[in-house]
Amino acid sequence: EAGVTQFPSHSVIEKGQTVTLRCDPISGHDNLYWYRRVMGKEIKFLLHFVKESKQDESGMPNNRFLAERTGGTYSTLKVQPAELEDSGVYFCASSRDSLAKNIQYFGAGTRLSVL
Amino acid sequence: SQQGEEDPQALSIQEGENATMNCSYKTSINNLQWYRQNSGRGLVHLILIRSNEREKHSGRLRVTLDTSKKSSSLLITASRAADTASYFCATAIMDMGRRALTFGSGTRLQVQP
């Protein structure tokens, strides 16, 4: 079974540019999560999809961030326009049954550097 | 203030020794989980303990949970060089449809061969 895959692994952009991160969850996992770790800080939740619906987007920092999951498969996270403080590692995770133990399987992350 | 603060921030031990990491949290939880992250890799789930459990074992891992003190500990026995990684505790509230995990700041473990 393939794990959660994220693309790209690393992205370097200039302030003001747009970047789109992609996450492919484990096949059959309806739940998809985005987290990020800003330098020196803890890993923080951004949002949670159940299939194509946003179940919880309480962690989204501002309206420069847009997450989509059309068709309930892969998800994209777009940052537009990117700011310096957006630099960090963005993790995606998926889980099968959110009502049970909620064990989430994580991808390797996308390291975003905004210069 | 953070949910899930861990100590120590860094720990260096010799192979064969035991490693203990602690985690504190602030709110009521449904369960607490421990994850490991090797450098440049994703987080790997290690073990989950429910709020009504006090201790759990999995191989060389032993987790304890004290809900009265809102704290947990992860013990790795007979450590190996391959255990070198960052370890994170994560709490799950799981109410009102919320499934987000709240992570601690992590403990960097270095096991010297």
Side-chain angles (χ1 to χ4, degrees), chain A residues 15-81:
Chain A
K15 176 183 170 181
Q17 290 186 323
T18 298
V19 63
T20 300
L21 314 181
R22 173 171 169 144
C23 169
D24 286 77
I26 293 172
S27 178
H29 282 193
D30 287 341
N31 298 280
L32 187 149
Y33 311 81
W34 284 98
Y35 294 84
R36 75 171 178 177
R37 188 178 193 191
V38 173
M39 182 71 73
K41 301 289 183 71
E42 69 275 14
I43 301 166
K44 286 204 166 180
F45 167 78
L46 296 178
L47 88 160
H48 168 210
F49 283 99
V50 177
K51 296 184 180 179
E52 67 274 11
S53 299
K54 292 176 184 174
Q55 176 74 21
D56 179 359
E57 48 186 332
S58 61
M60 294 289 266
N62 52 61
N63 59 10
R64 295 186 294 104
F65 289 76
L66 175 63
E68 295 180 319
R69 193 184 182 195
T70 308
T73 54
Y74 71 90
S75 174
T76 58
L77 179 65
K78 180 191 288 188
V79 185
Q80 178 181 32

Short mmCIF file of all heavy atoms in Angstrom, two decimals, chain A residues 15-81:
data_model
loop_
_atom_site.label_atom_id
_atom_site.label_comp_id
_atom_site.label_asym_id
_atom_site.label_seq_id
_atom_site.Cartn_x
_atom_site.Cartn_y
_atom_site.Cartn_z
N LYS A 15 8.90 36.18 -2.19
CA LYS A 15 7.75 36.83 -1.56
C LYS A 15 6.84 37.40 -2.64
O LYS A 15 7.31 38.03 -3.59
CB LYS A 15 8.23 37.93 -0.63
CG LYS A 15 7.14 38.74 0.01
CD LYS A 15 7.72 39.87 0.85
CE LYS A 15 6.61 40.81 1.28
NZ LYS A 15 7.10 41.94 2.08
N GLY A 16 5.54 37.16 -2.48
CA GLY A 16 4.59 37.68 -3.44
C GLY A 16 4.20 36.68 -4.51
O GLY A 16 3.17 36.86 -5.19
N GLN A 17 4.99 35.63 -4.68
CA GLN A 17 4.65 34.62 -5.66
C GLN A 17 3.61 33.65 -5.11
O GLN A 17 3.27 33.68 -3.92
CB GLN A 17 5.92 33.86 -6.10
CG GLN A 17 6.87 34.70 -6.92
CD GLN A 17 8.03 33.89 -7.45
OE1 GLN A 17 8.55 33.00 -6.77
NE2 GLN A 17 8.46 34.19 -8.67
N THR A 18 3.16 32.78 -5.99
CA THR A 18 2.15 31.79 -5.63
C THR A 18 2.80 30.41 -5.66
O THR A 18 3.63 30.12 -6.52
CB THR A 18 0.98 31.82 -6.64
OG1 THR A 18 0.36 33.10 -6.57
CG2 THR A 18 -0.03 30.72 -6.34
N VAL A 19 2.40 29.57 -4.72
CA VAL A 19 2.90 28.20 -4.69
C VAL A 19 1.72 27.27 -4.41
O VAL A 19 0.81 27.61 -3.65
CB VAL A 19 4.00 28.02 -3.62
CG1 VAL A 19 3.47 28.27 -2.21
CG2 VAL A 19 4.63 26.64 -3.72
N THR A 20 1.75 26.14 -5.07
CA THR A 20 0.70 25.13 -4.86
C THR A 20 1.35 23.83 -4.44
O THR A 20 2.21 23.30 -5.14
CB THR A 20 -0.13 24.92 -6.13
OG1 THR A 20 -0.75 26.15 -6.51
CG2 THR A 20 -1.22 23.87 -5.89
N LEU A 21 0.93 23.34 -3.31
CA LEU A 21 1.43 22.07 -2.78
C LEU A 21 0.37 21.00 -3.04
O LEU A 21 -0.83 21.27 -2.96
CB LEU A 21 1.69 22.19 -1.28
CG LEU A 21 2.44 23.43 -0.80
CD1 LEU A 21 2.64 23.38 0.70
CD2 LEU A 21 3.75 23.58 -1.52
N ARG A 22 0.85 19.79 -3.29
CA ARG A 22 -0.09 18.71 -3.57
C ARG A 22 0.11 17.57 -2.60
O ARG A 22 1.23 17.26 -2.20
CB ARG A 22 0.08 18.22 -5.00
CG ARG A 22 -0.75 16.96 -5.31
CD ARG A 22 -0.76 16.59 -6.74
NE ARG A 22 -1.34 15.27 -6.93
CZ ARG A 22 -2.09 14.93 -7.98
NH1 ARG A 22 -2.34 15.82 -8.94
NH2 ARG A 22 -2.59 13.70 -8.09
N CYS A 23 -0.99 16.92 -2.28
CA CYS A 23 -0.96 15.76 -1.38
C CYS A 23 -1.84 14.66 -1.96
O CYS A 23 -3.01 14.88 -2.26
CB CYS A 23 -1.46 16.14 0.00
SG CYS A 23 -1.76 14.71 1.09
N ASP A 24 -1.27 13.47 -2.07
CA ASP A 24 -2.04 12.29 -2.45
C ASP A 24 -2.16 11.40 -1.22
O ASP A 24 -1.15 10.85 -0.75
CB ASP A 24 -1.36 11.55 -3.59
CG ASP A 24 -1.52 12.27 -4.92
OD1 ASP A 24 -0.80 13.28 -5.12
OD2 ASP A 24 -2.36 11.85 -5.71
N PRO A 25 -3.36 11.23 -0.71
CA PRO A 25 -3.53 10.42 0.50
C PRO A 25 -3.44 8.94 0.19
O PRO A 25 -3.39 8.54 -0.99
CB PRO A 25 -4.94 10.79 0.97
CG PRO A 25 -5.67 11.09 -0.31
CD PRO A 25 -4.64 11.75 -1.20
N ILE A 26 -3.45 8.14 1.20
CA ILE A 26 -3.50 6.70 1.03
C ILE A 26 -4.86 6.35 0.42
O ILE A 26 -5.90 6.89 0.84
CB ILE A 26 -3.30 5.97 2.37
CG1 ILE A 26 -1.88 6.21 2.86
CG2 ILE A 26 -3.59 4.49 2.25
CD1 ILE A 26 -1.61 5.71 4.27
N SER A 27 -4.85 5.49 -0.56
CA SER A 27 -6.08 5.12 -1.25
C SER A 27 -7.12 4.59 -0.27
O SER A 27 -6.82 3.75 0.59
CB SER A 27 -5.77 4.04 -2.30
OG SER A 27 -6.95 3.62 -2.95
N GLY A 28 -8.33 5.12 -0.37
CA GLY A 28 -9.41 4.67 0.51
C GLY A 28 -9.55 5.50 1.77
O GLY A 28 -10.50 5.30 2.53
N HIS A 29 -8.63 6.40 2.00
CA HIS A 29 -8.73 7.25 3.19
C HIS A 29 -9.59 8.46 2.88
O HIS A 29 -9.22 9.30 2.06
CB HIS A 29 -7.33 7.69 3.65
CG HIS A 29 -6.59 6.65 4.39
ND1 HIS A 29 -5.45 6.92 5.11
CD2 HIS A 29 -6.83 5.31 4.53
CE1 HIS A 29 -5.01 5.80 5.67
NE2 HIS A 29 -5.83 4.81 5.33
N ASP A 30 -10.72 8.57 3.54
CA ASP A 30 -11.61 9.70 3.30
C ASP A 30 -11.13 10.98 3.98
O ASP A 30 -11.48 12.07 3.58
CB ASP A 30 -13.02 9.38 3.82
CG ASP A 30 -13.74 8.38 2.94
OD1 ASP A 30 -13.34 8.20 1.77
OD2 ASP A 30 -14.72 7.77 3.42
N ASN A 31 -10.35 10.81 5.04
CA ASN A 31 -9.93 11.96 5.82
C ASN A 31 -8.54 12.43 5.40
O ASN A 31 -7.61 11.62 5.30
CB ASN A 31 -9.91 11.62 7.31
CG ASN A 31 -11.27 11.25 7.82
OD1 ASN A 31 -12.10 12.10 8.10
ND2 ASN A 31 -11.54 9.95 7.90
N LEU A 32 -8.42 13.71 5.16
CA LEU A 32 -7.15 14.29 4.75
C LEU A 32 -6.91 15.55 5.57
O LEU A 32 -7.82 16.35 5.77
CB LEU A 32 -7.17 14.61 3.25
CG LEU A 32 -5.85 15.07 2.61
CD1 LEU A 32 -5.78 14.62 1.16
CD2 LEU A 32 -5.66 16.56 2.73
N TYR A 33 -5.70 15.68 6.04
CA TYR A 33 -5.34 16.79 6.94
C TYR A 33 -4.13 17.52 6.38
O TYR A 33 -3.23 16.91 5.81
CB TYR A 33 -4.99 16.27 8.34
CG TYR A 33 -5.99 15.30 8.92
CD1 TYR A 33 -5.97 13.95 8.56
CD2 TYR A 33 -6.95 15.72 9.84
CE1 TYR A 33 -6.88 13.05 9.10
CE2 TYR A 33 -7.85 14.81 10.38
CZ TYR A 33 -7.82 13.49 10.00
OH TYR A 33 -8.72 12.60 10.53
N TRP A 34 -4.07 18.82 6.66
CA TRP A 34 -2.87 19.61 6.41
C TRP A 34 -2.38 20.18 7.74
O TRP A 34 -3.17 20.66 8.55
CB TRP A 34 -3.15 20.75 5.44
CG TRP A 34 -3.28 20.35 4.01
CD1 TRP A 34 -4.43 20.14 3.31
CD2 TRP A 34 -2.22 20.17 3.07
NE1 TRP A 34 -4.15 19.81 2.01
CE2 TRP A 34 -2.81 19.83 1.83
CE3 TRP A 34 -0.82 20.25 3.15
CZ2 TRP A 34 -2.05 19.57 0.69
CZ3 TRP A 34 -0.08 20.00 2.02
CH2 TRP A 34 -0.68 19.66 0.80
N TYR A 35 -1.07 20.09 7.91
CA TYR A 35 -0.39 20.67 9.07
C TYR A 35 0.83 21.44 8.56
O TYR A 35 1.28 21.23 7.44
CB TYR A 35 0.13 19.58 10.02
CG TYR A 35 -0.94 18.74 10.71
CD1 TYR A 35 -1.50 17.65 10.07
CD2 TYR A 35 -1.33 19.04 12.01
CE1 TYR A 35 -2.46 16.87 10.71
CE2 TYR A 35 -2.29 18.27 12.66
CZ TYR A 35 -2.84 17.19 12.01
OH TYR A 35 -3.79 16.42 12.65
N ARG A 36 1.36 22.31 9.41
CA ARG A 36 2.63 22.92 9.02
C ARG A 36 3.47 23.16 10.27
O ARG A 36 2.95 23.29 11.39
CB ARG A 36 2.42 24.22 8.27
CG ARG A 36 2.01 25.42 9.13
CD ARG A 36 2.05 26.69 8.31
NE ARG A 36 1.61 27.83 9.10
CZ ARG A 36 1.59 29.07 8.66
NH1 ARG A 36 2.00 29.34 7.42
NH2 ARG A 36 1.19 30.06 9.44
N ARG A 37 4.78 23.17 10.01
CA ARG A 37 5.72 23.46 11.09
C ARG A 37 6.58 24.63 10.64
O ARG A 37 7.41 24.49 9.74
CB ARG A 37 6.60 22.26 11.41
CG ARG A 37 7.44 22.49 12.65
CD ARG A 37 8.27 21.30 13.03
NE ARG A 37 8.81 21.47 14.38
CZ ARG A 37 9.75 20.70 14.91
NH1 ARG A 37 10.25 19.70 14.21
NH2 ARG A 37 10.18 20.91 16.15
N VAL A 38 6.34 25.75 11.26
CA VAL A 38 7.16 26.92 11.00
C VAL A 38 8.42 26.79 11.83
O VAL A 38 8.40 26.20 12.92
CB VAL A 38 6.37 28.20 11.35
CG1 VAL A 38 7.24 29.43 11.24
CG2 VAL A 38 5.15 28.32 10.45
N MET A 39 9.52 27.31 11.32
CA MET A 39 10.83 27.18 11.96
C MET A 39 10.77 27.43 13.46
O MET A 39 10.33 28.48 13.91
CB MET A 39 11.81 28.16 11.34
CG MET A 39 13.21 28.07 11.89
SD MET A 39 14.05 26.57 11.37
CE MET A 39 14.36 26.95 9.66
N GLY A 40 11.23 26.42 14.22
CA GLY A 40 11.35 26.58 15.65
C GLY A 40 10.05 26.44 16.42
O GLY A 40 10.04 26.55 17.64
N LYS A 41 8.95 26.21 15.70
CA LYS A 41 7.67 26.12 16.39
C LYS A 41 7.13 24.68 16.29
O LYS A 41 7.70 23.83 15.63
CB LYS A 41 6.66 27.08 15.74
CG LYS A 41 7.09 28.53 15.78
CD LYS A 41 7.02 29.08 17.18
CE LYS A 41 7.36 30.55 17.25
NZ LYS A 41 6.33 31.41 16.68
N GLU A 42 6.03 24.45 16.97
CA GLU A 42 5.45 23.11 16.94
C GLU A 42 4.66 22.90 15.66
O GLU A 42 4.33 23.85 14.94
CB GLU A 42 4.57 22.89 18.17
CG GLU A 42 3.30 23.70 18.22
CD GLU A 42 3.49 25.09 18.80
OE1 GLU A 42 4.65 25.54 18.94
OE2 GLU A 42 2.49 25.74 19.09
N ILE A 43 4.34 21.67 15.38
CA ILE A 43 3.52 21.31 14.22
C ILE A 43 2.10 21.74 14.51
O ILE A 43 1.53 21.37 15.55
CB ILE A 43 3.57 19.79 13.98
CG1 ILE A 43 5.01 19.35 13.73
CG2 ILE A 43 2.67 19.41 12.81
CD1 ILE A 43 5.22 17.84 13.82
N LYS A 44 1.52 22.51 13.59
CA LYS A 44 0.18 23.04 13.83
C LYS A 44 -0.80 22.60 12.75
O LYS A 44 -0.47 22.59 11.56
CB LYS A 44 0.21 24.57 13.91
CG LYS A 44 0.80 25.08 15.21
CD LYS A 44 0.32 26.47 15.51
CE LYS A 44 0.62 26.83 16.96
NZ LYS A 44 0.19 28.18 17.32
N PHE A 45 -1.98 22.29 13.17
CA PHE A 45 -3.07 21.87 12.30
C PHE A 45 -3.55 23.03 11.45
O PHE A 45 -3.67 24.17 11.94
CB PHE A 45 -4.20 21.35 13.18
CG PHE A 45 -5.51 21.17 12.47
CD1 PHE A 45 -5.73 20.06 11.67
CD2 PHE A 45 -6.53 22.10 12.60
CE1 PHE A 45 -6.95 19.88 11.03
CE2 PHE A 45 -7.75 21.93 11.96
CZ PHE A 45 -7.95 20.81 11.18
N LEU A 46 -3.83 22.76 10.18
CA LEU A 46 -4.40 23.76 9.29
C LEU A 46 -5.86 23.45 9.00
O LEU A 46 -6.73 24.26 9.27
CB LEU A 46 -3.59 23.85 8.00
CG LEU A 46 -2.14 24.31 8.14
CD1 LEU A 46 -1.45 24.31 6.77
CD2 LEU A 46 -2.07 25.69 8.76
N LEU A 47 -6.10 22.28 8.37
CA LEU A 47 -7.49 21.93 8.11
C LEU A 47 -7.66 20.45 7.87
O LEU A 47 -6.70 19.72 7.70
CB LEU A 47 -8.05 22.74 6.93
CG LEU A 47 -7.89 22.20 5.51
CD1 LEU A 47 -8.90 22.87 4.60
CD2 LEU A 47 -6.50 22.40 5.00
N HIS A 48 -8.93 20.04 7.85
CA HIS A 48 -9.31 18.64 7.73
C HIS A 48 -10.42 18.51 6.70
O HIS A 48 -11.44 19.20 6.79
CB HIS A 48 -9.78 18.15 9.11
CG HIS A 48 -10.48 16.83 9.12
ND1 HIS A 48 -11.45 16.52 10.06
CD2 HIS A 48 -10.35 15.72 8.34
CE1 HIS A 48 -11.89 15.29 9.85
NE2 HIS A 48 -11.24 14.80 8.82
N PHE A 49 -10.20 17.63 5.74
CA PHE A 49 -11.23 17.28 4.74
C PHE A 49 -11.82 15.92 5.09
O PHE A 49 -11.10 15.00 5.48
CB PHE A 49 -10.61 17.14 3.35
CG PHE A 49 -10.29 18.42 2.65
CD1 PHE A 49 -9.00 18.92 2.64
CD2 PHE A 49 -11.27 19.12 1.97
CE1 PHE A 49 -8.69 20.09 1.97
CE2 PHE A 49 -10.97 20.29 1.29
CZ PHE A 49 -9.68 20.78 1.29
N VAL A 50 -13.11 15.79 4.90
CA VAL A 50 -13.74 14.48 4.82
C VAL A 50 -14.26 14.36 3.40
O VAL A 50 -15.16 15.12 2.99
CB VAL A 50 -14.89 14.31 5.82
CG1 VAL A 50 -15.55 12.94 5.64
CG2 VAL A 50 -14.41 14.49 7.25
N LYS A 51 -13.66 13.48 2.67
CA LYS A 51 -13.88 13.41 1.22
C LYS A 51 -13.60 14.80 0.64
O LYS A 51 -12.53 15.36 0.87
CB LYS A 51 -15.28 12.89 0.93
CG LYS A 51 -15.48 11.46 1.42
CD LYS A 51 -16.84 10.90 1.04
CE LYS A 51 -16.96 9.47 1.57
NZ LYS A 51 -18.28 8.87 1.24
N GLU A 52 -14.57 15.39 -0.06
CA GLU A 52 -14.27 16.68 -0.67
C GLU A 52 -14.68 17.87 0.19
O GLU A 52 -14.46 19.02 -0.17
CB GLU A 52 -14.93 16.78 -2.04
CG GLU A 52 -16.44 16.83 -2.01
CD GLU A 52 -17.06 15.43 -1.98
OE1 GLU A 52 -16.32 14.44 -1.78
OE2 GLU A 52 -18.29 15.35 -2.13
N SER A 53 -15.28 17.59 1.35
CA SER A 53 -15.80 18.66 2.20
C SER A 53 -14.81 19.09 3.28
O SER A 53 -14.15 18.26 3.89
CB SER A 53 -17.10 18.21 2.87
OG SER A 53 -18.07 17.89 1.90
N LYS A 54 -14.75 20.36 3.53
CA LYS A 54 -13.92 20.89 4.62
C LYS A 54 -14.65 20.68 5.94
O LYS A 54 -15.68 21.32 6.19
CB LYS A 54 -13.62 22.37 4.39
CG LYS A 54 -12.72 22.62 3.20
CD LYS A 54 -12.52 24.10 2.94
CE LYS A 54 -11.69 24.30 1.67
NZ LYS A 54 -11.57 25.71 1.29
N GLN A 55 -14.14 19.79 6.75
CA GLN A 55 -14.76 19.49 8.03
C GLN A 55 -14.36 20.50 9.10
O GLN A 55 -15.14 20.86 9.97
CB GLN A 55 -14.35 18.08 8.47
CG GLN A 55 -14.83 17.65 9.84
CD GLN A 55 -16.31 17.33 9.85
OE1 GLN A 55 -16.90 17.06 8.80
NE2 GLN A 55 -16.93 17.38 11.01
N ASP A 56 -13.10 20.92 9.03
CA ASP A 56 -12.56 21.81 10.06
C ASP A 56 -11.44 22.61 9.42
O ASP A 56 -10.44 22.03 9.00
CB ASP A 56 -12.04 20.98 11.25
CG ASP A 56 -11.44 21.83 12.35
OD1 ASP A 56 -11.39 23.07 12.24
OD2 ASP A 56 -10.99 21.24 13.36
N GLU A 57 -11.62 23.90 9.30
CA GLU A 57 -10.55 24.74 8.75
C GLU A 57 -10.14 25.81 9.76
O GLU A 57 -9.68 26.89 9.40
CB GLU A 57 -10.96 25.36 7.42
CG GLU A 57 -12.31 26.02 7.40
CD GLU A 57 -12.70 26.50 5.99
OE1 GLU A 57 -11.81 26.80 5.18
OE2 GLU A 57 -13.92 26.57 5.73
N SER A 58 -10.29 25.47 11.03
CA SER A 58 -10.01 26.42 12.10
C SER A 58 -8.54 26.82 12.19
O SER A 58 -8.22 27.83 12.79
CB SER A 58 -10.47 25.84 13.44
OG SER A 58 -9.78 24.65 13.73
N GLY A 59 -7.65 26.03 11.61
CA GLY A 59 -6.23 26.33 11.71
C GLY A 59 -5.67 27.13 10.55
O GLY A 59 -4.49 27.51 10.57
N MET A 60 -6.48 27.40 9.56
CA MET A 60 -5.98 28.16 8.41
C MET A 60 -5.64 29.58 8.87
O MET A 60 -6.47 30.27 9.46
CB MET A 60 -7.03 28.20 7.30
CG MET A 60 -7.28 26.84 6.71
SD MET A 60 -5.90 26.26 5.72
CE MET A 60 -6.44 26.80 4.10
N PRO A 61 -4.41 30.01 8.60
CA PRO A 61 -3.95 31.27 9.18
C PRO A 61 -4.62 32.52 8.61
O PRO A 61 -4.83 33.48 9.35
CB PRO A 61 -2.44 31.26 8.89
CG PRO A 61 -2.25 30.31 7.77
CD PRO A 61 -3.34 29.32 7.86
N ASN A 62 -4.91 32.53 7.33
CA ASN A 62 -5.52 33.71 6.72
C ASN A 62 -6.01 33.36 5.33
O ASN A 62 -5.86 32.22 4.87
CB ASN A 62 -4.51 34.87 6.66
CG ASN A 62 -3.20 34.45 6.02
OD1 ASN A 62 -3.18 34.06 4.85
ND2 ASN A 62 -2.12 34.50 6.78
N ASN A 63 -6.59 34.33 4.66
CA ASN A 63 -7.19 34.03 3.36
C ASN A 63 -6.18 33.95 2.22
O ASN A 63 -6.56 33.82 1.05
CB ASN A 63 -8.30 35.04 3.03
CG ASN A 63 -7.77 36.46 2.99
OD1 ASN A 63 -6.56 36.69 3.02
ND2 ASN A 63 -8.66 37.42 2.93
N ARG A 64 -4.91 34.01 2.53
CA ARG A 64 -3.92 33.76 1.48
C ARG A 64 -3.76 32.25 1.24
O ARG A 64 -3.11 31.85 0.28
CB ARG A 64 -2.57 34.37 1.88
CG ARG A 64 -2.60 35.89 1.97
CD ARG A 64 -1.21 36.47 2.23
NE ARG A 64 -0.69 36.10 3.53
CZ ARG A 64 0.24 35.18 3.72
NH1 ARG A 64 0.74 34.49 2.70
NH2 ARG A 64 0.67 34.92 4.95
N PHE A 65 -4.33 31.47 2.10
CA PHE A 65 -4.23 30.01 2.00
C PHE A 65 -5.56 29.45 1.51
O PHE A 65 -6.62 29.74 2.06
CB PHE A 65 -3.90 29.40 3.36
CG PHE A 65 -2.50 29.67 3.83
CD1 PHE A 65 -2.14 30.91 4.33
CD2 PHE A 65 -1.54 28.68 3.76
CE1 PHE A 65 -0.85 31.17 4.75
CE2 PHE A 65 -0.23 28.91 4.18
CZ PHE A 65 0.11 30.16 4.68
N LEU A 66 -5.47 28.63 0.45
CA LEU A 66 -6.67 28.01 -0.10
C LEU A 66 -6.42 26.53 -0.31
O LEU A 66 -5.50 26.15 -1.02
CB LEU A 66 -7.04 28.66 -1.44
CG LEU A 66 -8.21 28.01 -2.18
CD1 LEU A 66 -9.50 28.13 -1.37
CD2 LEU A 66 -8.39 28.63 -3.56
N ALA A 67 -7.23 25.71 0.33
CA ALA A 67 -7.10 24.27 0.19
C ALA A 67 -8.31 23.72 -0.56
O ALA A 67 -9.44 24.16 -0.36
CB ALA A 67 -6.99 23.59 1.56
N GLU A 68 -8.03 22.77 -1.43
CA GLU A 68 -9.10 22.13 -2.19
C GLU A 68 -8.89 20.63 -2.23
O GLU A 68 -7.75 20.16 -2.15
CB GLU A 68 -9.14 22.69 -3.62
CG GLU A 68 -9.51 24.17 -3.69
CD GLU A 68 -9.55 24.69 -5.11
OE1 GLU A 68 -8.67 24.33 -5.91
OE2 GLU A 68 -10.47 25.47 -5.42
N ARG A 69 -9.98 19.94 -2.42
CA ARG A 69 -9.91 18.48 -2.57
C ARG A 69 -11.05 18.05 -3.49
O ARG A 69 -11.97 17.35 -3.09
CB ARG A 69 -9.99 17.76 -1.23
CG ARG A 69 -9.59 16.28 -1.33
CD ARG A 69 -9.76 15.55 -0.02
NE ARG A 69 -9.33 14.17 -0.15
CZ ARG A 69 -9.62 13.20 0.72
NH1 ARG A 69 -10.33 13.49 1.80
NH2 ARG A 69 -9.19 11.98 0.53
N THR A 70 -10.95 18.48 -4.70
CA THR A 70 -11.97 18.18 -5.69
C THR A 70 -12.03 16.69 -5.94
O THR A 70 -11.01 16.04 -6.17
CB THR A 70 -11.67 18.91 -7.01
OG1 THR A 70 -11.48 20.30 -6.72
CG2 THR A 70 -12.81 18.75 -7.98
N GLY A 71 -13.24 16.13 -5.90
CA GLY A 71 -13.41 14.70 -6.15
C GLY A 71 -13.05 13.83 -4.97
O GLY A 71 -13.17 12.61 -5.04
N GLY A 72 -12.60 14.45 -3.90
CA GLY A 72 -12.30 13.69 -2.69
C GLY A 72 -11.08 12.80 -2.77
O GLY A 72 -10.94 11.88 -1.96
N THR A 73 -10.19 13.07 -3.72
CA THR A 73 -8.97 12.27 -3.81
C THR A 73 -7.79 13.09 -3.32
O THR A 73 -7.64 13.29 -2.12
CB THR A 73 -8.75 11.77 -5.24
OG1 THR A 73 -8.77 12.90 -6.14
CG2 THR A 73 -9.85 10.79 -5.64
N TYR A 74 -6.99 13.59 -4.26
CA TYR A 74 -5.84 14.37 -3.83
C TYR A 74 -6.27 15.76 -3.41
O TYR A 74 -7.38 16.21 -3.71
CB TYR A 74 -4.80 14.42 -4.96
CG TYR A 74 -5.20 15.28 -6.13
CD1 TYR A 74 -4.87 16.64 -6.17
CD2 TYR A 74 -5.90 14.75 -7.20
CE1 TYR A 74 -5.24 17.43 -7.22
CE2 TYR A 74 -6.29 15.54 -8.26
CZ TYR A 74 -5.95 16.87 -8.28
OH TYR A 74 -6.32 17.66 -9.34
N SER A 75 -5.39 16.44 -2.72
CA SER A 75 -5.66 17.80 -2.24
C SER A 75 -4.53 18.73 -2.65
O SER A 75 -3.38 18.31 -2.81
CB SER A 75 -5.80 17.80 -0.72
OG SER A 75 -5.95 19.12 -0.22
N THR A 76 -4.89 19.99 -2.82
CA THR A 76 -3.88 21.01 -3.06
C THR A 76 -4.02 22.11 -2.01
O THR A 76 -5.12 22.36 -1.50
CB THR A 76 -4.03 21.64 -4.46
OG1 THR A 76 -5.34 22.20 -4.59
CG2 THR A 76 -3.78 20.62 -5.55
N LEU A 77 -2.90 22.70 -1.69
CA LEU A 77 -2.86 23.83 -0.78
C LEU A 77 -2.11 24.94 -1.49
O LEU A 77 -0.93 24.80 -1.81
CB LEU A 77 -2.16 23.46 0.52
CG LEU A 77 -2.03 24.58 1.57
CD1 LEU A 77 -3.40 25.01 2.08
CD2 LEU A 77 -1.16 24.11 2.75
N LYS A 78 -2.83 26.02 -1.77
CA LYS A 78 -2.24 27.13 -2.51
C LYS A 78 -2.00 28.29 -1.56
O LYS A 78 -2.87 28.61 -0.73
CB LYS A 78 -3.18 27.58 -3.64
CG LYS A 78 -2.63 28.75 -4.45
CD LYS A 78 -3.68 29.34 -5.38
CE LYS A 78 -3.97 28.43 -6.53
NZ LYS A 78 -4.87 29.09 -7.53
N VAL A 79 -0.84 28.88 -1.70
CA VAL A 79 -0.50 30.07 -0.91
C VAL A 79 -0.31 31.21 -1.91
O VAL A 79 0.56 31.15 -2.77
CB VAL A 79 0.78 29.87 -0.09
CG1 VAL A 79 1.02 31.08 0.81
CG2 VAL A 79 0.69 28.59 0.76
N GLN A 80 -1.15 32.24 -1.78
CA GLN A 80 -1.13 33.33 -2.74
C GLN A 80 -1.59 34.63 -2.10
O GLN A 80 -2.76 34.71 -1.67
CB GLN A 80 -2.05 32.98 -3.92
CG GLN A 80 -2.17 34.06 -4.99
CD GLN A 80 -3.12 33.67 -6.11
OE1 GLN A 80 -4.11 32.97 -5.89
NE2 GLN A 80 -2.83 34.12 -7.31
N PRO A 81 -0.76 35.64 -2.04
CA PRO A 81 0.68 35.63 -2.32
C PRO A 81 1.46 35.15 -1.10
O PRO A 81 1.03 35.38 0.04
CB PRO A 81 0.96 37.12 -2.58
CG PRO A 81 0.00 37.84 -1.69
CD PRO A 81 -1.24 36.98 -1.64
#
